[in-house]
Coordinates of all heavy atoms in Angstrom, one line a residue:
A1161 N -26.1 -5.0 -6.8 CA -24.8 -5.2 -7.4 C -24.8 -6.4 -8.3 O -25.5 -7.4 -8.0 CB -23.7 -5.3 -6.3
V1162 N -24.0 -6.3 -9.4 CA -23.8 -7.5 -10.2 C -22.4 -8.1 -10.0 O -21.4 -7.4 -10.3 CB -23.9 -7.1 -11.7 CG1 -23.8 -8.3 -12.6 CG2 -25.2 -6.4 -12.0
F1163 N -22.4 -9.2 -9.4 CA -21.1 -9.9 -9.1 C -20.7 -10.6 -10.4 O -21.1 -11.7 -10.7 CB -21.2 -10.9 -7.9 CG -21.3 -10.2 -6.6 CD1 -22.5 -9.6 -6.2 CD2 -20.2 -10.2 -5.8 CE1 -22.5 -8.9 -4.9 CE2 -20.3 -9.6 -4.5 CZ -21.4 -8.9 -4.1
D1164 N -19.9 -10.0 -11.2 CA -19.6 -10.5 -12.6 C -18.2 -10.9 -12.8 O -17.7 -11.2 -13.9 CB -20.0 -9.4 -13.6 CG -19.2 -8.1 -13.3 OD1 -18.4 -8.1 -12.4 OD2 -19.5 -7.1 -14.0
T1165 N -17.4 -11.0 -11.7 CA -15.9 -11.3 -11.8 C -15.6 -12.3 -10.8 O -16.1 -12.3 -9.7 CB -15.1 -10.0 -11.5 OG1 -15.6 -8.9 -12.3 CG2 -13.6 -10.2 -11.8
P1166 N -14.7 -13.3 -11.2 CA -14.3 -14.3 -10.2 C -13.8 -13.7 -8.9 O -13.1 -12.7 -9.0 CB -13.3 -15.2 -10.9 CG -13.5 -14.9 -12.4 CD -14.1 -13.5 -12.5
V1167 N -14.0 -14.4 -7.8 CA -13.5 -13.9 -6.5 C -12.1 -14.6 -6.3 O -12.0 -15.8 -6.4 CB -14.5 -14.3 -5.4 CG1 -13.9 -13.9 -4.0 CG2 -15.8 -13.5 -5.6
S1168 N -11.1 -13.7 -5.9 CA -9.8 -14.3 -5.7 C -9.5 -14.3 -4.2 O -10.1 -13.6 -3.4 CB -8.7 -13.3 -6.3 OG -8.9 -13.2 -7.7
S1169 N -8.6 -15.1 -3.9 CA -8.2 -15.3 -2.4 C -6.6 -15.1 -2.4 O -5.9 -15.6 -3.2 CB -8.6 -16.7 -2.0 OG -8.0 -16.9 -0.7
L1170 N -6.2 -14.4 -1.3 CA -4.8 -14.2 -1.1 C -4.5 -14.3 0.4 O -5.2 -13.6 1.1 CB -4.4 -12.8 -1.7 CG -2.9 -12.5 -1.9 CD1 -2.2 -13.4 -2.8 CD2 -2.7 -11.1 -2.4
G1171 N -3.5 -15.0 0.8 CA -3.3 -15.2 2.2 C -1.8 -15.1 2.5 O -0.9 -15.3 1.6
G1172 N -1.5 -14.8 3.8 CA -0.1 -14.8 4.2 C 0.8 -13.7 3.5 O 2.0 -13.9 3.2
Y1173 N 0.1 -12.6 3.2 CA 0.8 -11.5 2.5 C 1.8 -10.7 3.3 O 2.7 -10.1 2.8 CB -0.2 -10.6 1.8 CG -1.5 -10.4 2.6 CD1 -1.5 -9.7 3.7 CD2 -2.7 -11.0 2.1 CE1 -2.6 -9.5 4.5 CE2 -3.8 -10.8 2.9 CZ -3.8 -10.1 4.0 OH -4.9 -9.9 4.8
S1174 N 1.6 -10.7 4.6 CA 2.5 -9.9 5.5 C 3.9 -10.6 5.5 O 4.0 -11.8 5.7 CB 2.0 -9.8 6.9 OG 0.7 -9.3 6.9
A1175 N 4.9 -9.8 5.2 CA 6.2 -10.4 5.0 C 7.3 -9.4 5.4 O 7.1 -8.2 5.4 CB 6.4 -10.7 3.6
N1176 N 8.5 -9.9 5.8 CA 9.5 -9.0 6.3 C 10.9 -9.5 5.8 O 10.9 -10.6 5.2 CB 9.5 -8.9 7.8 CG 10.1 -7.6 8.3 OD1 10.8 -6.8 7.5 ND2 10.0 -7.2 9.5
V1177 N 11.9 -8.8 5.9 CA 13.3 -9.2 5.5 C 14.3 -8.9 6.6 O 14.1 -8.1 7.5 CB 13.7 -8.5 4.2 CG1 13.1 -9.0 3.0 CG2 13.6 -7.0 4.4
K1178 N 15.4 -9.6 6.5 CA 16.5 -9.4 7.5 C 17.2 -8.1 7.3 O 17.7 -7.4 8.2 CB 17.5 -10.5 7.4 CG 17.0 -11.9 7.9 CD 18.0 -13.0 7.7 CE 17.4 -14.3 7.7 NZ 18.2 -15.3 6.9
S1179 N 17.3 -7.7 6.0 CA 17.9 -6.4 5.7 C 17.3 -5.8 4.4 O 17.0 -6.6 3.5 CB 19.4 -6.6 5.5 OG 20.0 -5.4 5.0
L1180 N 17.2 -4.5 4.3 CA 16.6 -3.9 3.1 C 17.7 -3.5 2.1 O 17.3 -3.0 1.0 CB 15.9 -2.6 3.6 CG 14.5 -2.7 4.2 CD1 14.0 -1.4 4.8 CD2 13.5 -3.3 3.3
H1181 N 18.9 -3.8 2.4 CA 20.0 -3.5 1.4 C 21.2 -4.4 1.6 O 21.3 -5.0 2.7 CB 20.4 -2.0 1.5 CG 20.8 -1.7 2.9 ND1 22.1 -1.8 3.3 CD2 20.1 -1.3 4.0 CE1 22.2 -1.4 4.6 NE2 21.0 -1.2 5.1
G1182 N 22.1 -4.4 0.7 CA 23.3 -5.2 0.8 C 24.2 -4.7 -0.3 O 23.9 -3.7 -1.0
N1183 N 25.3 -5.4 -0.5 CA 26.3 -5.0 -1.4 C 25.8 -5.1 -2.9 O 25.6 -6.1 -3.4 CB 27.6 -5.9 -1.3 CG 28.7 -5.3 -2.0 OD1 28.8 -4.1 -2.3 ND2 29.7 -6.1 -2.4
G1184 N 25.5 -3.9 -3.5 CA 25.0 -3.9 -4.9 C 23.5 -4.0 -5.0 O 23.0 -4.1 -6.2
F1185 N 22.7 -4.0 -3.9 CA 21.3 -4.0 -4.1 C 20.5 -3.3 -3.0 O 21.1 -3.1 -1.9 CB 20.8 -5.5 -4.2 CG 20.8 -6.2 -2.9 CD1 19.8 -6.2 -2.0 CD2 22.0 -6.9 -2.5 CE1 19.8 -6.9 -0.8 CE2 22.1 -7.6 -1.3 CZ 21.0 -7.6 -0.5
A1186 N 19.3 -3.0 -3.3 CA 18.3 -2.5 -2.2 C 17.0 -3.1 -2.6 O 16.6 -3.3 -3.7 CB 18.3 -1.0 -2.1
L1187 N 16.1 -3.2 -1.5 CA 14.8 -3.8 -1.7 C 13.8 -2.7 -1.6 O 13.8 -1.9 -0.6 CB 14.5 -4.8 -0.6 CG 15.6 -5.9 -0.5 CD1 15.2 -6.9 0.6 CD2 15.8 -6.7 -1.8
L1188 N 12.9 -2.6 -2.5 CA 11.8 -1.5 -2.5 C 10.5 -2.2 -2.3 O 10.2 -3.3 -2.7 CB 11.8 -0.8 -3.9 CG 13.1 -0.2 -4.4 CD1 12.9 0.5 -5.7 CD2 13.8 0.6 -3.4
G1189 N 9.5 -1.3 -1.8 CA 8.1 -1.7 -1.7 C 7.9 -3.1 -1.0 O 8.6 -3.5 -0.1
N1190 N 7.0 -3.9 -1.6 CA 6.7 -5.2 -1.0 C 7.8 -6.2 -1.1 O 7.7 -7.2 -0.4 CB 5.5 -5.8 -1.8 CG 4.2 -5.3 -1.3 OD1 4.1 -4.2 -0.7 ND2 3.1 -6.0 -1.5
A1191 N 8.8 -5.9 -1.9 CA 10.0 -6.9 -1.9 C 10.7 -6.7 -0.6 O 11.5 -7.6 -0.2 CB 10.9 -6.6 -3.1
G1192 N 10.5 -5.6 0.1 CA 11.1 -5.5 1.5 C 10.1 -6.0 2.5 O 10.0 -7.2 2.8
E1193 N 9.3 -5.1 3.0 CA 8.3 -5.5 4.0 C 6.9 -5.1 3.6 O 6.6 -4.1 2.9 CB 8.6 -4.7 5.3 CG 7.6 -5.1 6.4 CD 8.0 -4.6 7.8 OE1 8.9 -3.7 7.9 OE2 7.3 -5.0 8.8
F1194 N 5.9 -6.0 3.8 CA 4.5 -5.6 3.7 C 3.8 -5.9 5.0 O 3.9 -6.9 5.6 CB 3.8 -6.4 2.5 CG 2.4 -6.0 2.4 CD1 2.0 -4.7 2.0 CD2 1.4 -6.9 2.7 CE1 0.7 -4.3 1.9 CE2 0.0 -6.5 2.6 CZ -0.3 -5.2 2.2
L1195 N 3.1 -4.8 5.4 CA 2.4 -4.9 6.7 C 1.0 -5.6 6.6 O 0.8 -6.7 7.0 CB 2.3 -3.5 7.4 CG 3.5 -2.7 7.7 CD1 3.2 -1.3 8.1 CD2 4.3 -3.4 8.8
D1196 N 0.1 -4.8 6.1 CA -1.3 -5.2 6.1 C -2.1 -4.3 5.2 O -1.7 -3.1 5.1 CB -1.8 -5.1 7.5 CG -3.2 -5.7 7.7 OD1 -3.3 -6.9 8.0 OD2 -4.2 -5.0 7.5
P1197 N -3.2 -4.7 4.6 CA -4.0 -3.8 3.7 C -4.8 -2.8 4.4 O -5.2 -1.8 3.8 CB -4.9 -4.8 3.0 CG -4.8 -6.1 3.6 CD -3.7 -6.1 4.5

Side-chain angles (χ1 to χ4, degrees):
V1162 183
F1163 286 75
D1164 55 5
T1165 309
V1167 173
S1168 302
S1169 170
L1170 192 61
Y1173 33 70
S1174 301
N1176 206 348
V1177 283
K1178 292 175 200 157
S1179 172
L1180 284 170
H1181 56 90
N1183 193 22
F1185 72 88
L1187 309 179
L1188 308 184
N1190 276 24
E1193 180 171 12
F1194 179 67
L1195 297 172
D1196 189 88

